[in-house]
Amino acid sequence: MLELTGIIQWVGGIVTSISNSLGLPQIIIDIILILLIAVAIFAFLMLMALYLIWMERKVSGHIQDRLGPMMTGWHGWAQTIADALKLLQKEDIIVANADRKVHYWAPIVVFTACFAVYAVIPFGKGMLAADVNIGILYILSITTFTTLSLLMAGWASNNKYALLGGMRSASQIISYEVPLTLSILGVVMMAGTLSMGKFVELQGPYIWKWYVWPQFIGFCIYLIASTAELNRTPFDLPEAEQELVAGFNIEYSGMKFAMFFLAEFLNMFTVGAVTTTLFLGGWNPPLPALAFIPSWVWFLGKSLFIVFVIMWFKWTYPRLRVDHLLSFAWKVLLPISFINIILTAIGITIF
Amino acid sequence: MNKEQIENKITQKFGSAIEIQKTKNPEPFIYVSIEKYIEVCEFLKTDPDMCFEYLFQLGGVHYPDDRFEIALTLSSHKHKHELVLKVKLPHDNPKAPTATTVWEAANWYEREAMELFGIQFEGHPDPRPLLLYDDWNYGYPMRKGWTGPDFIPMPDKTKGGDD
Amino acid sequence: MTDVTKNIQLSEEEFLLNMGPQHPSTHGVLRLVLKLRGEFIEDLTPHVGYLHRSIEKIAENRTYAQFMPFTDRIDYCASMPCNLAWALAVEKLAGIEVPPRAQYLRVLMTELNRIASHLIYLGVMSLDLGAFTPFLYTFREREWILDLFEMTCGQRLTYNYMRIGGVSRDLPPEFYQSCKNFTKVFLKKVDEYEALFTYNPIFLTRTKDIGILPIAVGLEYGASGPTIRGSGHNWDLRKVEPYSSYEKFDFNVPLGTKGDVWDRYMVRVQEMRESCKIINQALDGLPEGEIKAKVPGVFKPPAGEVISRIEAPRGEMGYYLVSDGSTKPYRVKIRTASYGNLQVLRYLSRGWKIADLVAIFGSLDVVLPEVDR
Amino acid sequence: MNLLVFYILAILAAGSAIMVVTMKNIFHSALFLVLTFFSVAGIYVLLNAEFLAAVQVLIYVGAITILMIFAIMLTHQLFSRSLRQVNEQVIPASLITFIFFVLSVVALAKTAWPVSGGQLPEDRIFEIGKLLMSEYVIPFEVVSVVLLVALVGAIIIGRREKSGDTK
């Protein structure tokens, strides 16, 4: 049995029994369990982020007719680990006229925000840290802190490029938040719930019952809008290298820069995970007969596929311009998502 | 229009201000007196038979015995002919009216001649140095016989400056 | 440089942004002081000269032949045309007749270099617009051209291939087949680039109707080459006043219609195809014979003044050469295409956004060492 | 445990609210406002009102404060200028505040807070939706009309300023 549910229960059981024998109060046991889960998720996510960076390099390399990292380990598997070690040793430079406190807090905010999202992501059967009944709303609200941190970084660096990058990202994320939320609304209407766990349950192990088919418009809008929220090409204006050099993170170095970098990749995985949960049946296999493959493999596979698609975008398209970007959100995506909602409502009342 | 026709026409129009040089040079050119310089330029650009709308280059030359000249290469895309126009500048204080009023392209060429040869272009809209750095005060490097210092210290950018 | 920024009057909503000298999209070291209102460019002041090496002064202290390697450094993306223009100037001055085989080889090499230069343009332009992948594709093909050059003259970037009166070496035997293969494969690769770009909606919105250059303005500022041909101005020195036996080749001069960024892009893409045509013709019609005219070891051209003009990849380049009859040139004035093309930037970019400035600047294909010399 | 969390959140909310009004740098004030909103959202969670908490964060942090920061960044006069947070009228202001504080304490103490018995409904969001669409449908619709008016008004004001600039 490759399902991890058993292991989680087993570890939980051990912790509880040890604590009981020590006579610890229930509250301490709870805290220990929560910490254990948090550490487990954190460790997983750090590894994930490292390997997503490696994956990005390999994907971009192969798209660009080259190999990507090859020297560190088999096909360069240890490349990002080496990079992370290098970044850890780097001097942390804070520019003279920077707002030191805000400069310090910005990467922490972005990292915390993208980590906090994973409390409600169902990684597999029985692998959901907190099944709150407002799961998807929670994700939407937590991700707004990303915007905040970009603005903080842009403002605190006391650099005009960083400021422009911060402002661009704010206007961009606020604009794309609207079609993003509305595209999710279609799924929410069909499911009649906001809980991430319920979404997965409702879709079940039948590929034809997944929400990607009835909500195909919503799926596309969600993918586009979330690419924009991730600030990735073709929407990578906040950090447009050729215009703003590096945008909001221009004055960051060492580990703080690495935190922005890791957060970007974690957010990408978040998008993959949320898309999987909302539209692709979560950890369910496409057919009940395929259930012998563990649920978390399905979840990871689907999420990584979405991540791959987003990378594919990046290495194919040129970048949009700010005003085109915003008018695309308000004039194209928004009306389509409204139409999608109306169609969904009609569909629900008919069937 | 071939070269003779162009030369004839200009000579007719401006007479004594024009001096046609036809020596052993492979490339014949026209000298124009400094007083009529801009007038001739405008004529060359606007006259329908001339139509020299394109300034190929403008450069200063420092001849022996401290004589400065500027040479303009003009070409007409309409009539597909070209012309070299030269102006002799005053000896002691090389000075010329600006040709930017005729061709915008002259702007940078004149700035370059200004800093490299020390030729003053009167009425130039933006007489800043172009190629040399701002603190350059070692004379005009393209003049013959210019001997610069062996070692020119880097300008100290740490003092002042907002960039 | 401080006085520049201080003299600019700013209103409440405006601010100055210093773009460069070290900036990813200034293609070298160019400093642009932008006066911005939000993201809109109110005004722009280019500052050049960071790469000034006073090649013109160096020329006065070198013999005619010794100056040849310096011309390589004027435009490192397209050294062959710089070589060629210098050779043409000196030959015109001294009245040297170049053997036909050498003329054909010169055409072959300049056209190969034109493709290499346009490939850099294409890659860098795509990079400016945020697409990274085409950059590597174009450099893959450029690599092949560099291999061909290496095969011929042993150099990959600064060729020093032309000589006064001819070229330095004949083609190696394996060149013909490799070059033929290249033109065959390359035409397919151009289609590939076009598939990535030409009608890509994002590319179209970024380039169509952006930075329109009217012909009259372009001529006024001294723009040339693909920059002015993109506006539909039919002016190509290879056709108008053919040099180095260009009159024997059959090729078209691609023209744009509107003069926007897209037109300038399109002109260059078409020019690559035309160059392929010329290369094939040059390879097939390569005459037998000498590759270098007899030039005395101590070369003393007669005194005089000449102008040489050629159509380099970026536009018209040429030398104004004054000789006093000695072994060294008396005065060399180098006219480069980027010099004129960069002057237009101020006119083109006013009123556009920073993102457009990057696209417009990319479309002018300016190489900074060429401006600063 | 709940009580402990509540105290932490309450101190955070109140403390950062004080920072909002005392900070010299307006950008820092805005950041502390975020913290205030976030702590208040935490208190909502403690009260089993997750929906309200999420919406609080989504709207107040995600939209309103960000817009405020955006406005600060765009406006040169506010950008990187320290503001004087205390003026000459400290005594009257503190008097008024104190009176208001006493009044609200008295009001809070005197009001009887009716506690409705029974369990919270299992699917609270569902119930909120139902209530908004049935009992409170008129205020709900009125609010949306008000928002629309505000939106149109904002656009008109913004437009006028722009045309004034160009002339």
Side-chain angles (χ1 to χ4, degrees):
Chain A
M1 189 67 186
L2 283 163
E3 284 293 352
L4 297 177
T5 327
I7 302 171
I8 292 168
Q9 281 165 357
W10 178 65
V11 173
I14 289 175
V15 171
T16 321
S17 59
I18 292 173
S19 318
N20 282 341
S21 60
L22 289 171
L24 291 173
Q26 186 60 36
I27 186 169
I28 305 280
I29 300 169
D30 283 352
I31 288 172
I32 290 171
L33 281 176
I34 289 170
L35 276 178
L36 267 180
I37 293 172
V39 167
I41 293 179
F42 185 73
F44 166 75
L45 287 179
M46 287 313 286
L47 276 177
M48 198 49 162
L50 286 180
Y51 275 90
L52 283 178
I53 293 170
W54 177 74
M55 176 178 161
E56 168 107 307
R57 289 174 160 190
K58 290 310 257 188
V59 167
S60 73
H62 285 280
I63 285 178
Q64 289 164 358
D65 202 4
R66 57 193 175 89
L67 289 168
M70 288 297 282
M71 302 302 278
T72 35
W74 182 80
H75 280 252
W77 67 269
Q79 185 61 50
T80 25
I81 298 173
D83 285 346
L85 287 176
K86 184 200 77 179
L87 280 172
L88 273 172
Q89 297 169 46
K90 284 241 170 181
E91 186 193 352
D92 177 37
I93 301 164
I94 302 176
V95 255
N97 288 328
D99 191 329
R100 297 184 83 88
K101 278 177 194 146
V102 181
H103 190 272
Y104 178 80
W105 277 96
I108 298 176
V109 170
V110 70
F111 207 67
T112 319
C114 71
F115 175 60
V117 167
Y118 286 87
V120 296
I121 302 264
F123 286 96
K125 206 179 274 176
M127 288 167 73
L128 178 53
D131 190 8
V132 283
N133 54 7
I134 50 151
I136 187 68
L137 209 56
Y138 168 81
I139 291 175
L140 287 176
S141 60
I142 289 296
T143 43
T144 58
F145 277 93
T146 316
T147 331
L148 188 70
S149 74
L150 299 194
L151 277 175
M152 283 164 76
W155 191 82
S157 301
N158 193 19
N159 180 315
K160 281 166 186 166
Y161 286 110
L163 181 71
L164 274 174
M167 296 207 304
R168 276 184 177 188
S169 73
S171 53
Q172 175 179 332
I173 295 184
I174 289 177
S175 306
Y176 276 87
E177 194 84 32
V178 180
L180 183 91
T181 316
L182 290 175
S183 67
I184 292 173
L185 201 59
V187 175
V188 172
M189 282 161 79
M190 286 187 71
T193 177
L194 290 170
S195 151
M196 296 295 271
K198 287 264 175 58
F199 284 128
V200 182
E201 270 171 46
L202 282 167
Q203 294 181 71
Y206 311 99
I207 191 164
W208 58 91
K209 278 174 84 178
W210 292 356
Y211 290 139
V212 63
W213 308 120
Q215 286 295 322
F216 192 71
I217 305 171
F219 173 73
C220 293
I221 294 172
Y222 180 79
L223 208 57
I224 293 169
S226 53
T227 313
E229 294 246 315
L230 288 170
N231 298 330
R232 283 180 68 84
T233 322
F235 307 103
D236 66 338
L237 295 148
E239 45 193 293
E241 278 160 49
Q242 280 70 32
E243 296 148 34
L244 303 179
V245 192
F248 61 88
N249 63 20
I250 185 168
E251 297 289 5
Y252 280 87
S253 58
M255 209 50 213
K256 283 186 196 159
F257 169 75
M259 279 166 100
F260 275 114
F261 204 65
L262 289 176
E264 185 190 327
F265 281 86
L266 276 187
N267 280 333
M268 200 150 78
F269 187 68
T270 313
V271 168
V274 173
T275 318
T276 307
T277 312
L278 290 180
F279 296 100
L280 299 176
W283 43 260
N284 282 313
L287 293 168
L290 290 169
F292 62 89
I293 298 172
S295 58
W296 53 274
V297 174
W298 285 112
F299 175 82
L300 273 184
K302 289 174 194 171
S303 306
L304 287 178
F305 175 72
I306 298 293
V307 170
F308 169 73
V309 171
I310 293 170
M311 286 177 181
W312 193 1
F313 286 163
K314 170 158 184 168
W315 298 109
T316 311
Y317 287 122
R319 184 186 302 121
L320 277 168
R321 207 174 74 194
V322 181
D323 52 335
H324 293 152
L325 179 95
L326 296 184
S327 60
F328 181 65
W330 293 107
K331 289 179 187 162
V332 181
L333 288 185
L334 194 64
I336 295 178
S337 44
F338 275 128
I339 291 168
N340 180 40
I341 290 168
I342 293 167
L343 287 179
T344 315
I346 292 169
I348 290 171
T349 27
I350 290 172
F351 301 107
Chain B
M1 253 188 169
N2 61 24
K3 285 221 161 76
E4 277 78 40
Q5 285 170 306
I6 297 170
E7 283 160 4
N8 289 340
K9 185 150 186 195
I10 302 175
T11 325
Q12 274 169 20
K13 182 103 182 41
F14 291 99
S16 60
I18 301 293
E19 183 191 330
I20 290 171
Q21 196 88 6
K22 275 200 175 165
T23 49
K24 56 196 169 179
N25 292 306
E27 199 91 23
F29 53 83
I30 296 174
Y31 269 123
V32 61
S33 74
I34 188 137
E35 291 81 24
K36 292 274 184 181
Y37 166 46
I38 294 301
E39 212 176 304
V40 171
C41 286
E42 260 157 22
F43 169 75
L44 287 175
K45 191 187 176 190
T46 48
D47 188 78
D49 287 338
M50 300 292 175
C51 231
F52 285 106
E53 72 277 75
Y54 191 80
L55 176 70
F56 183 72
Q57 66 97 14
L58 185 158
V61 189
H62 184 191
Y63 285 103
D65 65 50
D66 256 4
R67 182 161 53 92
F68 285 97
E69 286 179 12
I70 47 175
L72 290 81
T73 313
L74 308 171
S75 79
S76 165
H77 288 192
K78 195 174 163 197
H79 301 306
K80 300 188 177 173
H81 53 221
E82 61 177 67
L83 180 73
V84 180
L85 194 70
K86 295 187 80 176
V87 189
K88 283 180 186 162
L89 302 180
H91 267 244
D92 39 347
N93 185 16
K95 207 192 280 184
T98 176
T100 45
T101 48
V102 188
W103 297 280
E104 282 286 345
N107 193 324
W108 282 17
Y109 290 114
E110 287 185 355
R111 277 171 71 182
E112 200 186 320
M114 255 189 277
E115 61 176 341
L116 296 181
F117 285 94
I119 300 168
Q120 295 309 310
F121 288 94
E122 286 166 332
H124 191 280
D126 185 19
R128 287 178 296 115
L130 180 76
L131 298 175
L132 303 177
Y133 59 80
D134 287 6
D135 310 344
W136 178 270
N137 50 6
Y138 303 98
Y140 304 110
M142 281 300 281
R143 285 189 178 182
K144 288 283 169 185
W146 176 81
T147 43
D150 288 343
F151 179 72
I152 298 174
M154 283 289 285
D156 190 359
K157 285 280 175 191
T158 52
K159 282 185 222 140
D162 53 358
D163 49 8
Chain C
M1 295 275 166
T2 49
D3 54 331
V4 183
T5 45
K6 272 179 192 148
N7 288 339
I8 300 172
Q9 295 290 314
L10 291 177
S11 76
E12 273 296 297
E13 295 96 6
E14 292 167 344
F15 67 102
L16 284 182
L17 185 73
N18 202 359
M19 199 163 160
Q22 301 293 339
H23 187 281
S25 67
T26 52
H27 298 201
V29 267
L30 168 71
R31 178 175 173 227
L32 299 169
V33 177
L34 309 176
K35 190 161 106 180
L36 297 175
R37 178 188 292 265
E39 287 224 354
F40 286 96
I41 296 162
E42 297 270 290
D43 203 357
L44 167 154
T45 324
H47 292 269
V48 297
Y50 291 89
L51 285 168
H52 181 55
R53 294 148 295 168
S54 55
I55 289 186
E56 291 175 7
K57 186 79 180 173
I58 294 173
E60 293 173 11
N61 300 312
R62 297 286 183 280
T63 64
Y64 288 92
Q66 275 175 347
F67 184 56
M68 190 63 87
F70 287 92
T71 60
D72 286 330
R73 274 82 180 167
I74 294 168
D75 177 359
Y76 52 72
C77 294
S79 301
M80 288 289 188
C82 301
N83 271 203
L84 175 62
W86 175 246
L88 286 176
V90 181
E91 284 152 12
K92 196 169 167 186
L93 183 70
I96 299 168
E97 194 67 37
V98 180
R101 186 173 175 87
Q103 289 192 2
Y104 265 63
L105 287 177
R106 284 176 171 187
V107 169
L108 181 63
M109 290 301 157
T110 27
E111 290 307 319
L112 274 173
N113 211 331
R114 187 184 309 277
I115 295 178
S117 170
H118 283 351
L119 282 176
I120 292 186
Y121 156 80
L122 205 63
V124 173
M125 174 90 186
S126 73
L127 207 56
D128 283 348
L129 295 178
F132 194 79
T133 305
F135 177 73
L136 287 146
Y137 288 176
T138 58
F139 267 61
R140 181 184 59 198
E141 267 71 70
R142 179 173 174 265
E143 200 63 21
W144 195 339
I145 298 182
L146 295 191
D147 286 344
L148 289 174
F149 283 147
E150 194 181 5
M151 207 186 272
T152 317
C153 60
Q155 292 293 330
R156 295 172 66 80
L157 200 63
T158 49
Y159 311 111
N160 190 20
Y161 178 65
M162 311 285 174
R163 288 287 180 273
I164 294 159
V167 295
S168 65
R169 284 170 206 209
D170 209 340
L171 296 181
E174 67 273 23
F175 185 91
Y176 179 84
Q177 200 48 49
S178 185
C179 193
K180 273 279 171 194
N181 285 347
F182 171 75
T183 49
K184 210 161 84 191
V185 173
F186 183 69
L187 284 175
K188 279 183 206 138
K189 295 290 181 187
V190 177
D191 295 339
E192 198 177 277
Y193 307 147
E194 285 219 69
L196 265 172
F197 264 141
T198 308
Y199 296 105
N200 178 332
I202 299 175
F203 184 72
L204 283 178
T205 50
R206 285 299 303 276
T207 54
K208 269 275 177 197
D209 298 329
I210 305 286
I212 294 174
L213 176 68
I215 296 174
V217 176
L219 292 177
E220 183 71 27
Y221 279 94
S224 55
T227 306
I228 193 89
R229 284 200 288 276
S231 308
H233 185 58
N234 191 354
W235 184 261
D236 189 325
L237 285 178
R238 292 176 293 175
K239 285 274 186 204
V240 180
E241 39 186 70
Y243 51 90
S244 195
S245 68
Y246 261 110
E247 67 279 358
K248 291 178 192 151
F249 293 93
D250 169 40
F251 64 99
N252 300 320
V253 179
L255 294 178
T257 47
K258 227 189 258 163
D260 52 10
V261 174
W262 192 81
D263 274 339
R264 292 194 277 275
Y265 153 82
M266 235 9 223
V267 164
R268 288 194 172 90
V269 170
Q270 302 291 347
E271 269 187 15
M272 291 201 283
R273 293 210 172 93
E274 295 300 325
S275 291
C276 265
K277 243 158 95 179
I278 299 175
I279 290 166
N280 273 331
Q281 290 171 34
L283 276 177
D284 293 334
L286 195 63
E288 292 298 319
E290 288 289 309
I291 57 157
K292 194 166 178 291
K294 287 271 177 289
V295 176
V298 181
F299 176 61
K300 270 192 183 177
E305 307 187 2
V306 285
I307 291 277
S308 76
R309 302 205 292 177
I310 62 156
E311 186 73 28
R314 284 169 188 77
E316 292 178 21
M317 88 161 288
Y319 295 83
Y320 169 62
L321 172 59
V322 181
S323 155
D324 59 352
S326 70
T327 51
K328 292 169 184 172
Y330 187 77
R331 161 94 170 110
V332 179
K333 165 77 191 162
I334 306 163
R335 195 272 185 202
T336 53
S338 300
Y339 204 77
N341 293 351
L342 186 59
Q343 285 202 60
V344 196
L345 181 65
R346 184 154 177 248
Y347 171 85
L348 285 183
S349 54
R350 258 180 279 183
W352 295 101
K353 291 200 166 75
I354 298 181
D356 295 321
L357 170 68
V358 172
I360 292 168
F361 184 65
S363 78
L364 294 178
D365 192 19
V366 171
V367 167
L368 261 301
E370 210 185 26
V371 179
D372 299 343
R373 301 184 306 282
Chain D
M1 174 139 174
N2 271 8
L3 206 63
L4 182 72
V5 176
F6 170 77
Y7 279 123
I8 293 170
L9 285 173
I11 290 165
L12 255 181
S16 52
I18 292 169
M19 296 304 262
V20 172
V21 287
T22 52
M23 270 303 192
K24 283 205 166 61
N25 188 322
I26 192 161
F27 188 80
H28 291 177
S29 295
L31 289 181
F32 275 108
L33 194 62
V34 171
L35 195 58
T36 316
F37 287 140
F38 195 62
S39 328
V40 172
I43 293 173
Y44 285 145
V45 173
L46 280 184
L47 294 171
N48 282 331
E50 294 96 345
F51 181 75
L52 209 55
V55 169
Q56 162 97 2
V57 173
L58 192 64
I59 290 173
Y60 280 94
V61 178
I64 291 178
T65 330
I66 299 245
L67 275 181
M68 278 163 60
I69 292 174
F70 203 63
I72 292 168
M73 282 177 156
L74 279 176
T75 320
H76 263 252
Q77 282 136 326
L78 295 175
F79 181 62
S80 72
R81 171 186 285 194
S82 48
L83 300 172
R84 207 160 60 106
Q85 293 280 24
V86 183
N87 60 9
E88 295 79 29
Q89 286 154 342
V90 179
I91 299 159
S94 44
L95 261 178
I96 292 167
T97 325
F98 183 71
I99 293 167
F100 183 72
F101 176 71
V102 170
L103 279 178
S104 33
V105 167
V106 169
L108 281 172
K110 290 245 168 127
T111 321
W113 298 93
V115 179
S116 59
Q119 282 298 109
L120 278 168
E122 189 50 38
D123 203 343
R124 295 187 280 276
I125 304 132
F126 205 69
E127 296 300 319
I128 292 172
K130 260 190 185 167
L131 280 177
L132 279 180
M133 276 295 140
S134 54
E135 210 168 309
Y136 300 108
V137 68
I138 292 168
F140 184 73
E141 293 296 328
V142 168
V143 164
S144 56
V145 172
V146 170
L147 280 178
L148 186 71
V149 170
L151 214 66
V152 174
I155 289 168
I156 288 170
I157 292 169
R159 274 278 158 97
R160 194 180 296 149
E161 265 178 16
K162 208 176 177 187
S163 62
D165 265 0
T166 46
K167 73 176 175 222

